[in-house]
Amino acid sequence: MSEQENQTQNVNEQVDQLAAQVEDVVLGPDGNPLSKKALKKMEKEREKEKKKQERLAQQAAERAAREANEVDYAQENYGVAKINMSQEQTNTKWTEIKNLSGAMAGQTVYIQARVQTSRPVSAKMCFLVLREGTATAQALLLTNKDSISKQMVKFATSIPSESIVSIVATVAQPNEPIKSCTIGDAELHITKLFVTSEVKTMLPFSLEDASRSETDYEKDPTLNRVNLDTRLNNRVIDLRTITNNAIFKIQAAVCQLFREFLEKQSFTEIHTPKIIGTASEGGANVFRVSYFKDSAFLAQSPQLYKQACIAADFGKVYEIAPVFRAEDSNTHRHLTEYIGLDLECAFREHYHEVMYMIGDMFIYIFKNLEERWAHELEIVRKQYPSEKIKFDEKPLRLEYKDAVALLRKHGEEIGDYDDFSTPQEKLLGKLVKQEYNTDFYMLDKFPLAVRPFYTMPDPENPQYSNSYDFFLRGEEIMSGAQRVHNADFLRERIVSMGIDP
């Protein structure tokens, strides 16, 4: 080996020694090497932590061994149930959570519900929040000497949220009202608990987060907010919230009350075609669809069919059905599909017979919603606060010209026969509330120029018409009019609108 090679080898060995020494150097927070005293202290702490972890591991092993040796005297009272294949009918009398009350204290009940949350308090006790539809109740699992074991409590705390359980429980009255549940005066003391449908994957959000109000987020901005896109991408889970459940029940209630009122007035429910050969109201806002070798249209309105039924001597008809409008707009006032509540009615002398009857129908719906669906309304208002609807027993009627005068009085520039803009309608709603203390009113005698050709003109002033809209807090919720029923006059009206009859 040459002298140069020896020098190179020595240098490499020195570099390796220095590298090893550098690796052994421990730096402090300031980037400088620790002193021997600091190193000794650090080693002591490491040893202390190591012994702590060993001690915890040993304790866990001993605990697991004890639990394994403990006799589970409650094993018949809990677990995962077999798949329900309709093997048998036990004729069990199940209780719905919404029907629980403190008056049932001491009674044994059988309940099937979802586990919304589980909260262990200790190894011997845990709380569950059970949910069914629009109702939630608190359930308690507490160990005893013969039927509820620690293992049973541990099992309960491990049940994934949104799993479905069947329980047997005794109803008890809590010491103070349970504010976190819709059932505040009753608590369920569980004696048997079986999972009938277990959630196997992590949910995209918690139902608790999806049920929060804006007030909750104002009080605690750190709370998780469930965004709209997340809700829509997981709509089935989102619909499980008691608020959404209540909204759908209220929607069904409106249809039920609509039917109730009209059937008492001798109306007949009809079902009109939704795939039709021509556009029902004309214009561009119609969906054209393929119909075998031809084209057809989705119905924009049942209007012409309703009128045909009146001409066929049905007298009074109504329909609850989908309506399709090709309105390319992103506002809450424009929908491509919605459920319309339509009616058509013959009258004896004056179209006000129908108008006031419809006004009474709305009052009937408002009153019965508050009386018969108070539970659902309370739930919705908790997440989306709103005031009760203000209305008079006899609906307020305003003529269009009076509404124009009211708007002008408050600085709006509008012509006698101009159609109202959306901001003007909203402003009118506020002004009517201030002047008449009502959220609900009828706006009568619209300008003829802003209504369809089949609308009957006002006999005293042909610039106006026998037509009306119903408003709730400045939003139009229904429109109506007397139809032109004379063929010659209808042809005249069609021609005056520039349409070829």
Side-chain angles (χ1 to χ4, degrees):
M1 181 180 296
S2 68
E3 184 178 345
Q4 186 176 358
E5 288 175 339
N6 284 332
Q7 289 176 350
T8 302
Q9 183 176 353
N10 291 336
V11 169
N12 289 338
E13 289 175 354
Q14 291 173 4
V15 169
D16 290 341
Q17 289 173 2
L18 286 172
Q21 291 173 6
V22 168
E23 285 180 1
D24 292 337
V25 173
V26 179
L27 302 179
D30 57 358
N32 295 320
L34 291 177
S35 62
K36 289 184 179 180
K37 185 177 179 182
L39 282 170
K40 285 183 179 180
K41 182 179 179 183
M42 186 180 72
E43 285 299 324
K44 271 188 176 181
E45 288 175 351
R46 283 179 178 175
E47 189 65 26
K48 184 177 178 182
E49 180 63 24
K50 181 181 176 182
K51 288 181 179 178
K52 178 183 176 182
Q53 294 302 323
E54 289 174 349
R55 185 171 64 255
L56 290 174
Q58 184 179 355
Q59 289 173 351
E62 291 172 353
R63 184 166 58 252
R66 283 198 307 272
E67 290 177 356
N69 292 327
E70 283 181 4
V71 176
D72 186 0
Y73 48 83
Q75 58 185 344
E76 299 297 322
N77 296 332
Y78 72 95
V80 177
K82 294 179 181 178
I83 296 175
N84 185 340
M85 300 175 68
S86 299
Q87 297 96 322
E88 61 178 347
Q89 278 186 292
T90 62
N91 296 319
T92 300
K93 184 180 178 182
W94 298 95
T95 299
E96 294 185 33
I97 287 181
K98 68 179 182 180
N99 295 327
L100 292 172
S101 71
M104 298 170 66
Q107 294 183 27
T108 298
V109 293
Y110 296 79
I111 285 176
Q112 285 186 337
R114 287 192 185 274
V115 175
Q116 182 160 305
T117 59
S118 61
R119 180 170 59 88
V121 177
S122 67
K124 297 182 178 182
M125 177 174 29
C126 82
F127 288 99
L128 304 175
V129 172
L130 302 179
R131 189 187 73 252
E132 184 182 20
T134 59
T136 55
Q138 180 170 282
L140 170 66
L141 200 61
L142 182 64
T143 59
N144 58 25
K145 295 181 179 180
D146 52 9
S147 61
I148 301 174
S149 61
K150 287 183 181 180
Q151 292 93 325
M152 184 173 177
V153 172
K154 185 177 181 180
F155 172 80
T157 61
S158 68
I159 297 173
S161 294
E162 293 304 294
S163 297
I164 298 175
V165 295
S166 295
I167 71 163
V168 182
T170 303
V171 181
Q173 279 189 316
N175 294 329
E176 55 185 40
I178 302 168
K179 296 180 180 179
S180 59
C181 295
T182 62
I183 305 300
D185 63 343
E187 185 177 67
L188 296 168
H189 290 184
I190 296 174
T191 55
K192 292 187 178 183
L193 171 67
F194 292 92
V195 176
T196 56
S197 181
E198 185 178 4
V199 171
K200 297 290 188 180
T201 59
M202 182 177 290
L203 298 175
F205 53 84
S206 77
L207 274 286
E208 201 170 14
D209 287 336
S211 302
R212 300 190 193 281
S213 68
E214 283 301 318
T215 305
D216 294 330
Y217 293 112
E218 289 171 6
K219 290 179 179 177
D220 186 357
T222 64
L223 292 171
N224 291 324
R225 183 186 289 272
V226 184
N227 295 325
L228 180 61
D229 58 341
T230 304
R231 291 178 182 272
L232 295 179
N233 289 335
N234 303 276
R235 187 61 168 153
V236 172
I237 297 173
D238 184 45
L239 288 177
R240 290 180 189 171
T241 67
I242 61 173
T243 304
N244 280 333
N245 200 299
I247 288 171
F248 273 74
K249 282 182 167 55
I250 294 168
Q251 182 189 69
V254 171
C255 294
Q256 178 182 328
L257 295 171
F258 181 74
R259 278 193 175 96
E260 279 181 9
F261 182 88
L262 294 181
E263 288 179 3
K264 289 175 184 176
Q265 303 292 324
S266 301
F267 276 71
T268 299
E269 184 171 8
I270 60 174
H271 305 285
T272 64
K274 300 305 166 204
I275 301 177
I276 56 180
T278 58
S280 52
E281 290 195 356
N285 60 341
V286 58
F287 285 109
R288 183 189 294 268
V289 296
S290 174
Y291 190 77
F292 302 106
K293 294 182 180 180
D294 208 341
S295 292
F297 302 91
L298 297 182
Q300 299 160 285
S301 165
Q303 184 56 51
L304 299 179
Y305 293 103
K306 291 188 302 176
Q307 290 180 218
C309 288
I310 299 303
D313 295 337
F314 280 42
K316 303 174 181 179
V317 297
Y318 74 92
E319 180 177 53
I320 301 175
V323 175
F324 303 93
R325 301 284 176 93
E327 296 177 333
D328 188 11
S329 182
N330 295 319
T331 77
H332 73 284
R333 296 166 62 90
H334 297 83
L335 299 172
T336 54
E337 179 184 359
Y338 63 90
I339 300 299
L341 280 66
D342 281 277
L343 64 90
E344 195 78 14
C345 179
F347 59 86
R348 300 294 181 181
E349 297 178 334
H350 200 288
Y351 76 96
H352 279 180
E353 297 169 27
V354 180
M355 187 182 76
Y356 278 103
M357 182 271 295
I358 295 172
D360 291 339
M361 178 195 72
F362 276 113
I363 300 302
Y364 179 82
I365 292 173
F366 297 154
K367 290 176 69 174
N368 278 274
L369 281 176
E370 290 290 350
E371 292 169 5
R372 294 158 60 182
W373 281 269
H375 167 71
E376 287 77 11
L377 287 172
E378 182 183 359
I379 288 171
V380 175
R381 285 171 178 152
K382 186 175 181 181
Q383 186 168 358
Y384 305 110
S386 67
E387 296 179 1
K388 292 183 179 181
I389 297 171
K390 280 265 191 181
F391 57 88
D392 297 322
E393 287 296 324
K394 183 177 181 180
L396 171 68
R397 172 183 172 269
L398 276 181
E399 288 199 8
Y400 197 87
K401 59 183 177 61
D402 297 324
V404 169
L406 187 58
L407 286 169
R408 285 174 178 166
K409 180 181 173 183
H410 290 82
E412 285 293 310
E413 294 183 4
I414 183 171
D416 289 345
Y417 310 114
D418 291 347
D419 200 2
F420 291 154
S421 66
T422 299
Q424 287 171 337
E425 287 180 347
K426 290 182 177 180
L427 174 59
L428 182 62
K430 293 178 181 178
L431 297 177
V432 168
K433 180 69 175 289
Q434 292 172 11
E435 295 275 338
Y436 302 98
N437 195 30
T438 181
D439 292 314
F440 174 65
Y441 56 96
M442 305 179 295
L443 195 56
D444 195 13
K445 298 294 181 183
F446 270 73
L448 186 63
V450 302
R451 297 305 242 197
F453 68 87
Y454 49 75
T455 306
M456 183 67 76
D458 178 19
E460 296 180 5
N461 185 345
Q463 297 276 25
Y464 292 103
S465 64
N466 292 348
S467 65
Y468 49 87
D469 281 358
F470 288 85
F471 283 84
L472 183 64
R473 292 174 177 165
E475 297 272 1
E476 177 197 332
I477 57 173
M478 190 173 187
S479 181
Q482 179 184 356
R483 315 300 180 189
V484 174
H485 55 279
N486 180 278
D488 293 335
F489 190 29
L490 184 59
R491 179 180 292 271
E492 182 183 322
R493 286 283 302 130
I494 291 173
V495 171
S496 71
M497 299 287 285
I499 303 171
D500 184 359

